[in-house]
Amino acid sequence: MAGAEGDDSLYPIAVLIDELRNEDVQLRLNSIKKLSTIALALGVERTRTELLPFLTDTIYDEDEVLLALAEQLGSFTVLVGGPEFVHCLLPPLESLATVEETVVRDKAVESLRKISQEHSPVDLEVHFVPLVKRLASGDWFTSRTSACGLFGVCYPRVSSTVKAEIRQHFRTLCSDDTPMVRRAASSKLGEFAKVLELDYVKSDIIPLFTALASDEQDSVRLLAVEAGVSIAALLPQEDLEDLVMPTLRQAAEDKSWRVRYMVADKFSELQKAVGPEITKNDLVPAFQNLLKDCEAEVRTAAANKVKVFCESLPEDSRETIIMTHILPCVKELVSDTNQHVKSALASVIMGLSTILGKDNTVEHLLPLFLVQLKDEYPEVRLNIISNLDCVNEVIGIRQLSQSLLPAIVELAEDAKWRVRLAIIEYMPLLAGQLGVEFFDEKLNSLCMAWLIDHVYAIREAATCNLMKLVEKFGAEWAQNTIVPKVLGMANDSNYLHRMTTLFCINALSEVCGQEITTKHMLPVVLKMSTDQVANVRFNVARCLQKIGPVLDSSALQAEVKPVLEKLATDQDMDVKYFALEAISVLALA
Amino acid sequence: METPTKLPPSSPSSPTTGFSVPSAEKVDGFPRRSMRRARQRRSHSSSQFRYQSSQVELTPLPLLKDAPVAELHDLFCKKLQQCCVLFDFLDCVADLKGKEIKRAALNELVESVATSRGVLIEPLYPEAIKMISVNIFRTLPPSENPEFDPEEDEPALEASWPHLQLVYEFFLRFLESPDFQPSLAKRYVDQKFVLQLLELFDSEDPREREYLKTILHRVYGKLLGLRAYIRKQINNIFLRFIYETERFNGVAELLEILGSIINGFALPLKSEHKQFLVRVLIPLHTAKSLSIFHAQLAYCVVQFMEKDATVTEHIIRGLLRYWPKTCTQKEVMFLGEIEEILDVIEPSQFIRVQEPLFKQIAACISSPHFQVAERALYFWNNEYILSLIEENCQVILPLVFGTLYRVSKEHWNQTIISLIYNVLKTFMEMNSKLFDDLTSSYKVEKQNEIFRL
């Protein structure tokens, strides 16, 4: 090989090594992120024989660099010569899978899972499985933790003897004496169960599940809950009662609120996994207890599930169960002491009306909605209002309108601007459902009042709201109700209000159409071009630019052009700038 | 750092739940203070009372001091059983009579264990431990405040403290009693007991953690069979804190206990202990809430060095590896710890770490944050450190010279500039030849740079 050529081909790796030793972390990071380019330059063989050993041996670095490396190696298969050589990637990933930093380790495991699929069945047994075993029997908890995530990906593709070994290793890790490893095993139990043969699920997984679900540490127990859901979905109905239900029942009444929280949080999945019969007999009482739990956290999680739970109840007994068992608990939650509980309930309670139908909604749910609409916490009221559409479909919103109004008015005038902002966002929805008449009578004045709010974000949202209302109610409505009021503000003594007129015109011109814009809005805008406040004048220029496309060309030439030309000679820099910009955009020069 | 496994939030505002995040944030621009106050007013729930359906009515028993000797133990036992009844302190007017009877009984038990001899006979051990377990072991309630900041916020205090304190006091007196026999106690104070005890260190109530600290220390001192187990479980708590949750209220207290445990380690250090240093204590420096337990942590680290100087290099290189990159407050803490370490470092060990160490110190001196620069420059006021620098002037001065020279011209803060002048003066006096050489080569280098531009 010619000397020069040899030097050339060494160059990339030399640069890499140089940069990997640089003191600046950012440079090291950059060089790791370019790893695939370097590998490509080196070719597959030298990547295998030089680059990978170098990475395996010399890497001891900042977690950021290791994280980037772990991620890169996951998509390196092609660069080492394809599936046939993919096992070359195992050594560096193995050492990354033993690092303390969780993020790095998880990424290494993710990459290992990815490349495990690229191993041939033989390579899997010869190279990959031994690695998993080494990790599983490592000294320090980190490698054992990583191993937990790898059993599931190799199990389906190995011989039955190796399968038996893998099951044995998993069993061992489930009773590891460090809680970190038991947590990892517990969180992977469901995934592992899915790839096991049903007989082994019954003979191996169930005892492990039972043990983990009664671990001395609640952090292990709560992870077993999720596994329980996965396992329940795998078993035939007739085995559920004996194999998983005792443990799940116990979890729903665990002394630690974290475990109960987890049960509440996974309740819909659980319901789906165990089927209608067990739901009726077991889950209904369990759900009632969770809704009445002594910890607000648990009640909140359960309250969030009320609608989904009721929806998925078996149809034949749905209504009876809801009316006799669930609704009484819901009634209590409406006046819970904790705002998060009430707010969670408020975000789903309206959904019950579709399930229960018109009569029940009017008789039982409506009173609850009304209580929540008067709740002391704005979030609860907002959650009710934001879900009005569900009720509208069932009983129509009229039933609620008398109570809605005070609630809306109160939120509209709330001292906190974010509350006001939130209610503005629901205005178009409310307007659509309450109808134009009700709106004109009761809500229009609120919408106009927001235009002169002292917070800009509210004025801005109010402007946008007007546009959406016009989209709903049409241009004629706009002309009769809001346009006169908006234009009236052009004579306000406060320049901020005068600017709001311009912003409204910006938003409304298009939806109102050419006629209204030319006849009513344009004269006002043009008149404002002589305003004494420069901010108003340059906003006139911007406004003209915005509404220009809506106007016809005669109006543009005859009315807009002279005004913009005059503004272009204004003494204020910004006014000039925006006037010139408008002239060029509207092609009036 | 992220948790490897999905844990439920310990509070209503953790990002994993749908309901929580938007709650106040979405609705309210300035929620934190007002919300906190509102939450603190909320009654503090306690999972303890979940399964106590029927409350037992207590009737006062005769006083221990009036009891005839023959009946003393029997009465003591009855009182212990009486104290197993739990009361609801959230409802502060509920069952006042019962609460008072229990309080009086606990007081008597404390008094009796503390003062009279011969009370603690074998049959009382299981009863006493049962009474203690029933009262103190409970699932701690969710934190009232999701972003609880131990430095800023008021901790949530345990409502049942009037009884709980007496139970802890009793436990402590029990352990400290001259009659206490470890060989009997170890049957009841077992691994499971200790594990539950350790979990209580997460209590937000500092009064409770204070008692737990003293109690665990006594248990460690008296029940030798549990020592290794206790150390291992503390390890696990710390590792979980560092790599999984970053939440645990009792880190400082556990470190304080460890400080005295390390002090008693036999030499040469077992590899288990070295591993604890390198894999647990050093990584603890990465925690966000370092300021809460830094003093105790630094103490432990220095204890290790004083035990065995050969761990010095591990420590210094570990600290350099985890050196804070953006948090200046932590940087100042690290510098403080380095000074504590240098105060007791052996000169032979100093030589092994001086290069990377002084590169970092130079970087600190050039920090635009004056407290960081100032803290680093204070090293030159420490006589022992100064003597180490002087002995190794040939190595150290070239490492810091460029920085000192540049910062002395550029720093915005006058105090820093005058401190640097003092340091430069010290160096000049230490080795004027080297100083002059470095000055002239620095100037040449500057010149060259200008030329190149």
Side-chain angles (χ1 to χ4, degrees), chain B residues 230-240 276 280:
Chain B
I230 291 175
R231 288 197 306 269
K232 194 170 80 185
Q233 294 308 327
I234 293 180
N235 263 349
N236 289 341
I237 288 176
F238 284 165
L239 288 167
R240 179 166 190 229
F276 168 65
V280 182

Side-chain angles (χ1 to χ4, degrees), chain B residues 424-437:
Chain B
L424 286 170
K425 199 167 132 247
T426 319
F427 273 126
M428 220 182 314
E429 285 160 6
M430 260 179 210
N431 190 334
S432 58
K433 167 86 175 56
L434 179 61
F435 192 88
D436 291 342
D437 290 351

Side-chain angles (χ1 to χ4, degrees), chain A residues 60 62 100-102 140 177 179 183 222-223 253 255 257 261 295 297 304 338 340 379 418-419, chain B residues 1 6 8 12 17 19 27 29 39 42 45 47 51 139-140 142 232 236 240 243-244 275 279 321:
Chain A
Y60 167 78
E62 297 274 339
E100 258 96 358
E101 176 50 52
T102 325
W140 190 239
D177 69 334
R183 277 195 287 277
L222 66 93
L223 291 165
E253 302 203 327
K255 66 177 194 294
W257 64 270
Y261 171 93
E295 291 298 350
E297 270 69 8
N304 266 318
N338 183 288
H340 298 291
E379 200 198 338
R418 279 176 200 266
V419 176
Chain B
M1 276 164 220
K6 199 164 155 266
T17 47
F19 70 88
V27 172
R39 278 201 190 142
R42 191 185 103 178
S45 54
S47 298
Y51 298 111
T139 306
L140 296 170
K232 194 170 80 185
N236 289 341
R240 179 166 190 229
Y243 295 112
E244 294 183 17
Q275 178 158 309
R279 301 193 119 155
R321 182 179 141 111

Side-chain angles (χ1 to χ4, degrees), chain A residues 405-416:
Chain A
L405 195 67
I408 295 171
V409 171
E410 206 180 309
L411 289 167
E413 289 163 356
D414 197 283
K416 292 172 183 134

Side-chain angles (χ1 to χ4, degrees), chain A residues 179-187 217 219-220 223, chain B residues 5 240 244:
Chain A
M180 288 76 85
V181 178
R182 292 204 304 279
R183 277 195 287 277
S186 199
S187 69
Q217 304 231 337
S219 56
V220 179
L223 291 165
Chain B
T5 45
R240 179 166 190 229
E244 294 183 17

Side-chain angles (χ1 to χ4, degrees), chain A residues 23 36 69 89 95 156 279 295 396 401 474 506-507:
Chain A
E23 272 182 36
S36 56
L69 180 60
L89 298 173
S95 52
T279 296
E295 291 298 350
S401 54
N506 287 343

